[in-house]
Amino acid sequence: MNVLVTGGAGYIGSHSVAELLEAGHDVVVVDNLCNGSEQALRRVEGITGKSVSFEECDIRDRESLGRVFGNHDIDAVIHFAGLKAVGESVNVPLAYYDNNVHGTTVLCEAMAAAGVFKLVFSSSATVYGVEAPVPYQEDMPRGTTLNPYGTSKAMVETILEDLCKADDRWAVSLLRYFNPIGAHPSGLIGEDPQGIPNNLMPFISQVAIGRRDGLSIFGSDYPTEDGTCVRDYLHVVDLAVGHLKALERLSDPGVYTYNLGTGSGVSVLEMVKTFTEVTEVDVPYRFAPPRDGDLPAFWADSSKAQEELGWCAEKGLEEMMRDTWCWQSKNPEGYS
Ligand code: NAD
Ligand code: UDP
């Protein structure tokens, strides 16, 4: 297939481009580089020995996007492009709705105009909202989201469902990610957040490499075994493989929703402990007040992805830590 990957120069996108190329697909990446790096794509070419077409373009720019579809005979789209910082989304909600929601509608219009109706969308476990019991299952309703980022993902899911109801040419996969971490085992591509990392794993690895003094653990009194929050961390390469499988499944019209997680939860303290055990690098930490909007614990029921896609997360926590550290220690300043 000839696959257009929006946001392919970012963290999950670049790992997915590598898997697509390895599987024999051709890839065109569209990215405005607001949080991605063209360097990541050049490194993916080094890893796979295959070339990637890159178009520097904002998905909200109808004309440029139309030109991309005109210049390439696209069969399907994997849509990663968007803004993802939860805290920032509270301060600049319009930027999040514009990029994530409006960007997706412009993309769908460009796809339809080009006769492309297969779409894999990056959604998030956050759409289950505050009410859902764990483990999350796909047939649970979307719940109350606590920030514009989460709401934008829930809105896009609704829009794509409506689109499929209105026009039976569309085949859409909604992939609800849990917490992707880790890096390609080569250490050549990985997560390179701009500024202070919001997420736990890049914060831990930046403390370990000496770019930050210490980790603040948000909350020590949650109703979990050790009092710190519990999440379902999965290896980014497993997640990338999930996209490949979802894409291959998209032969019939309709909406297909899958959780992509490991099915088990790990606490923040366990994350720090495992990182230190695997890397033998100490990560100083202190407890800080809970972060607004954090849920105590959630993890996936990923049995639907296993049954219907033949996908399950194969890489364990130690491998996630090892690969994170390989990337971080080979690239202390990321791609720059
Ligand atoms: P990322 O920021 O590394 O990648 C997103 C890419 O999209 C970047 O390269 C950025 O430059 C590009 N982009 C942003 N807006 C764009 C626009 N308007 N036009 C063109 N390109 C644009 O993020 P990621 O971690 O790789 O996440 C990819 C997707 O997965 C996002 O939609 C994110 O919301 C979703 N997601 C991520 C996580 C996570 O923990 N990383 C969890 C759940 C869902
Ligand atoms: N976390 C933390 N310190 C940090 C970053 C995150 O203690 O510097 C905690 C956070 O409170 C949450 C967990 O680590 O319980 C995972 O946070 P992350 O932002 O990576 O994922 P999300 O909250 O989106 O699940």
Side-chain angles (χ1 to χ4, degrees), residues 10-323:
Y11 172 47
I12 306 169
S14 56
H15 288 80
S16 300
V17 170
E19 294 304 315
L20 287 165
L21 292 173
E22 299 280 20
H25 297 290
D26 293 318
V27 176
V28 179
V29 167
V30 165
D31 200 300
N32 67 359
L33 301 182
C34 71
N35 198 39
S37 161
E38 201 177 341
Q39 181 68 229
L41 297 176
R42 303 290 81 93
R43 293 189 183 190
V44 166
E45 290 180 325
I47 292 167
T48 60
K50 295 178 181 170
S51 63
V52 181
S53 300
F54 174 58
E55 305 270 2
E56 187 172 342
C57 162
D58 192 299
I59 54 164
R60 293 162 296 178
D61 177 348
R62 277 170 210 279
E63 258 178 48
S64 303
L65 200 56
R67 263 197 305 277
V68 174
F69 278 99
N71 291 341
H72 303 272
D73 191 12
I74 302 297
D75 299 301
V77 174
I78 305 184
H79 178 31
F80 294 102
L83 302 179
K84 64 164 183 176
V86 172
E88 182 187 62
S89 78
V90 176
N91 299 324
V92 287
L94 294 183
Y96 274 70
Y97 291 120
D98 184 43
N99 214 311
N100 296 1
V101 181
H102 172 62
T104 303
T105 60
V106 173
L107 172 68
C108 290
E109 282 164 2
M111 288 176 66
V116 181
F117 295 98
K118 285 184 183 179
L119 176 66
V120 176
F121 173 63
S122 293
S123 190
S124 164
T126 193
V127 302
Y128 287 103
V130 294
E131 305 88 351
V134 289
Y136 293 165
Q137 291 168 334
E138 292 86 344
D139 56 7
M140 292 172 177
R142 281 184 287 272
T144 308
T145 46
L146 289 177
N147 50 70
Y149 168 74
T151 307
S152 75
K153 291 291 175 190
M155 287 168 83
V156 171
E157 285 201 356
T158 306
I159 289 168
L160 295 176
E161 285 169 356
D162 286 345
L163 187 58
C164 289
K165 273 184 219 150
D167 183 341
D168 65 8
R169 289 173 297 177
W170 284 91
V172 174
S173 192
L174 306 176
L175 301 184
R176 295 175 175 166
Y177 313 159
F178 283 69
N179 290 58
I181 61 169
H184 192 272
S186 62
L188 290 171
I189 55 171
E191 186 167 13
D192 182 20
Q194 293 183 1
I196 301 170
N198 296 294
N199 296 110
L200 179 65
M201 193 71 247
F203 208 107
I204 289 177
S205 62
Q206 288 196 7
V207 170
I209 203 75
R211 279 172 67 179
R212 320 252 157 230
D213 290 341
L215 171 75
S216 295
I217 294 184
F218 301 136
S220 55
D221 202 17
Y222 282 102
T224 60
E225 214 155 282
D226 63 21
T228 64
C229 285
V230 167
R231 295 289 181 272
D232 183 341
Y233 298 92
L234 81 159
H235 198 295
V236 66
V237 171
D238 278 329
L239 182 59
V241 170
H243 288 76
L244 199 62
K245 300 215 168 188
L247 185 69
E248 286 163 2
R249 169 72 173 76
L250 269 188
S251 47
D252 298 325
V255 183
Y256 305 89
T257 305
Y258 299 105
N259 288 338
L260 297 181
T262 64
S264 42
V266 178
S267 76
V268 178
L269 275 175
E270 284 171 316
M271 290 288 285
V272 175
K273 186 166 158 273
T274 311
F275 182 87
T276 296
E277 277 167 9
V278 168
T279 63
E280 296 179 359
V281 181
D282 206 29
V283 176
Y285 63 82
R286 65 178 185 91
F287 289 107
R291 187 169 67 175
D292 269 357
D294 270 347
L295 296 176
F298 61 83
W299 57 91
D301 178 340
S302 281
S303 50
K304 187 176 173 208
Q306 165 90 65
E307 282 155 26
E308 295 188 11
L309 302 177
W311 177 89
C312 67
E314 290 179 355
K315 294 170 182 283
L317 196 58
E318 292 187 0
E319 198 168 349
M320 298 181 216
M321 298 299 175
R322 204 164 37 244
D323 290 340

